[in-house]
Amino acid sequence: MLQRLPWPFPVSPLWAMLLLALICSGCGRGKVQPLPAVTTAVGTKSPCANCEKMIEGVTEKNLFTYKGVQYVVCDKKCAQAIREWIDMLDE
């Protein structure tokens, strides 16, 4: 006849420690990382990226984006100078 084995497997201190270690470790919720906040220079005081003239109240007209980077400029002439300078650096 077949002998009945103890409940599914024998529980020894080694098995108990292994089971406890597996329960206590793993992929739990880690520390929540803060999300980056998008900021803008609109409404602040900032110097022109080309001529360094101080702009007291930056508006949308003063923002110039080229190749994914946003610059504060005082006019279209300074924006063109920034574009030419960056293109020269890329050569």
Side-chain angles (χ1 to χ4, degrees), residues 12-35:
S12 68
L14 181 62
W15 281 106
M17 287 190 299
L18 179 63
L19 184 62
L20 184 62
L22 289 174
I23 291 172
C24 294
S25 65
C27 301
R29 263 186 95 141
K31 184 177 178 184
V32 177
Q33 297 295 320
L35 294 175

Side-chain angles (χ1 to χ4, degrees), residues 4-88:
R4 183 180 166 148
L5 296 174
W7 178 75
F9 52 85
V11 179
S12 68
L14 181 62
W15 281 106
M17 287 190 299
L18 179 63
L19 184 62
L20 184 62
L22 289 174
I23 291 172
C24 294
S25 65
C27 301
R29 263 186 95 141
K31 184 177 178 184
V32 177
Q33 297 295 320
L35 294 175
V38 178
T39 60
T40 182
V42 174
T44 64
K45 180 179 175 181
S46 182
C48 174
N50 182 53
C51 67
E52 298 183 8
K53 174 183 153 190
M54 189 57 69
I55 302 169
E56 293 299 323
V58 176
T59 64
E60 289 287 332
K61 292 187 337 182
N62 298 112
L63 299 179
F64 167 67
T65 304
Y66 189 62
K67 294 190 177 182
V69 179
Q70 193 171 66
Y71 302 92
V72 175
V73 293
C74 53
D75 57 21
K76 290 183 180 185
K77 182 180 171 186
C78 284
Q80 183 61 33
I82 293 280
R83 178 180 283 129
E84 290 169 2
W85 176 67
I86 292 172
D87 289 340
M88 181 198 62

